[in-house]
Amino acid sequence: MATIKDVAREAGVSIATASRVINNTPHTSESANIAVKNAMAKLGYRPNANARALASKSSNAIGVIVNDVSSPFFGTMVKAIDTVASELEKQLLIGSGYHDAVKERSAINLLLNSRCESLVVHSKGMTDAELSKLADEIPGMVLINRKVPDIASRCIALDNRKGSYIATEYLIRNGHTDIGYICSNHNIEDANDRREGYLDALRDNGIDIRENYIEYGEPDENGGEQAVVNLLAKNIPITAIATYNDYMAAGCMTLLQENGMRIPEDISIIGFDDGHIARYIYPRLSTIRYPIQVMANEAVKLSLSLVDKAVTKETERKLFIPMLVKRSSVSKIS
């Protein structure tokens, strides 16, 4: 006897999509409907009547996939989406993907099985091809902080490369040429783009690229602290450091200050994201503002519009431009 897994495999869709078609869930794409129904007919699949009746109940929920719900960055993102959900009297269901394809896929399937028609996904593990296929199957799916060319109109992203360029160029305009970089060791688009932005700024200003000026670590305070330890151990003449995010910058600053170095008198530091920590460490951190609240708001509204079929034509992806926030951790040198 055929199972739902057999139907999904025959139709070339996920089990979650097959389940939605079988249970007559609204807003499932036409192509998925046709493929699953053809597979059901071919395999002679007969869904359980009681299961169909149970699954047909609406949950009125918005689903969100983040990397790690405990991260303050993602907390801000979820709060922005929850504000919209509350205004519309909808519930928010959250899954964590941890930048891992298997976990992201599992979290998405769980939210879909919970009847989430609107889905805002922060994915760094799954491939562009898989996300494009899922978008075809899930009309209400929108990606945040990800650029996938085939579904550009459903992507809300930040120009990370430009942001890191702005940060590094700000240090250069303040007279710094010996600039270190502390980078995330996660192999994701954000980390690669921010590193390339740093390198672009050096090239464009005629400064030699020196790979030993770059260190990697976990994108948190401990990672920043360990990365700056490794950087200082090389005994190279660094007057400024650009960092992957504010948390790495905070760890870096703490270590430097504990070793008698003054910020910014002895060394300048710049972060990225403009999270809460940037305002409350001393000196207050110069950084790049990541407008995650605005982006999350745009993402959930686009998702809801797609579910309601209020979006009538394809539009270009929304690429947000980061802004420099000048505070007290960078000083000019002669």
Side-chain angles (χ1 to χ4, degrees):
M1 181 180 292
T3 67
I4 192 172
K5 290 184 179 180
D6 299 324
V7 171
R9 188 182 304 110
E10 177 67 27
V13 300
S14 66
I15 294 173
T17 296
S19 176
R20 294 202 313 280
V21 174
I22 291 166
N23 293 306
N24 296 319
T25 303
H27 309 299
T28 307
S29 69
E30 184 63 25
S31 59
N33 268 309
I34 294 171
V36 172
K37 287 176 180 177
N38 286 342
M40 290 170 64
K42 179 178 178 180
L43 299 174
Y45 178 78
R46 296 289 182 272
N48 180 282
N50 291 333
R52 281 185 69 167
L54 180 63
S56 65
K57 296 178 181 179
S58 176
S59 70
N60 195 36
I62 297 171
V64 182
I65 302 294
V66 298
N67 169 35
D68 182 352
V69 74
S70 69
S71 164
F73 176 85
F74 291 106
T76 301
M77 172 183 151
V78 167
K79 178 61 178 175
I81 296 173
D82 189 48
T83 298
V84 176
S86 296
E87 290 172 356
L88 298 172
E89 298 184 344
K90 292 180 178 289
Q91 295 297 313
L92 198 65
L93 299 180
I94 305 167
S96 295
Y98 301 104
H99 292 168
D100 179 88
V102 173
K103 291 177 180 177
E104 288 175 356
R105 197 176 301 120
S106 176
I108 289 173
N109 285 335
L110 182 61
L111 292 178
L112 292 174
N113 286 334
S114 299
R115 307 283 293 170
C116 291
E117 297 171 358
S118 177
L119 202 60
V120 177
V121 177
H122 184 284
S123 167
K124 297 297 179 183
M126 289 189 288
T127 64
D128 284 4
E130 184 170 9
L131 288 169
S132 295
K133 184 177 180 182
L134 276 173
D136 288 339
E137 299 171 6
I138 309 166
M141 188 177 101
V142 170
L143 299 181
I144 189 166
N145 196 24
R146 180 74 179 259
K147 297 170 284 187
V148 178
D150 288 346
I151 50 171
S153 62
R154 290 160 70 173
C155 296
I156 306 290
L158 181 79
D159 193 337
N160 282 290
R161 190 164 183 161
K162 179 68 173 178
S164 190
Y165 186 101
I166 292 170
T168 308
E169 190 171 58
Y170 178 59
L171 296 174
I172 294 169
R173 288 179 177 175
N174 276 280
H176 299 276
T177 55
D178 293 309
I179 304 170
Y181 186 67
I182 291 178
C183 186
S184 168
N185 60 10
H186 290 195
N187 185 26
I188 60 173
E189 184 181 36
D190 299 36
N192 297 332
D193 283 352
R194 293 183 190 185
R195 180 180 181 276
E196 290 306 308
Y198 157 78
L199 296 175
D200 288 345
L202 296 182
R203 292 189 193 98
D204 289 352
N205 286 276
I207 300 173
D208 291 338
I209 292 174
R210 294 158 287 188
E211 288 294 332
N212 62 330
Y213 275 56
I214 303 173
E215 276 295 330
Y216 300 83
E218 285 294 318
D220 56 23
E221 297 92 335
N222 290 333
E225 184 173 332
Q226 186 57 54
V228 79
V229 167
N230 296 339
L231 202 56
L232 293 176
K234 298 175 184 178
N235 196 28
I236 49 182
I238 291 175
T239 64
I241 299 174
T243 62
Y244 170 76
N245 66 16
D246 297 337
Y247 296 95
M248 296 192 85
C252 169
M253 290 171 65
T254 299
L255 187 284
L256 293 171
Q257 290 167 330
E258 287 176 347
N259 283 272
M261 299 185 73
R262 299 169 301 163
I263 301 168
E265 293 85 355
D266 298 328
I267 189 166
S268 292
I269 308 292
I270 192 165
F272 200 116
D273 286 345
D274 194 27
H276 292 301
I277 195 172
R279 301 173 182 84
Y280 299 110
I281 53 178
Y282 183 81
R284 281 157 47 96
L285 182 65
S286 296
T287 186
I288 298 297
R289 178 163 295 158
Y290 192 129
I292 187 59
Q293 290 173 302
V294 177
M295 291 169 62
N297 188 282
E298 288 284 328
V300 69
K301 287 183 177 179
L302 174 58
S303 175
L304 291 167
S305 295
L306 289 166
V307 169
D308 294 335
K309 299 184 179 179
V311 178
T312 57
K313 62 179 181 179
E314 291 291 303
T315 57
E316 291 296 318
R317 66 181 165 88
K318 294 188 177 181
L319 184 64
F320 284 76
I321 303 300
M323 292 177 55
L324 175 66
V325 179
K326 299 178 184 179
R327 293 197 180 99
S328 308
S329 63
V330 174
S331 66
K332 185 180 289 288
I333 62 173
S334 57

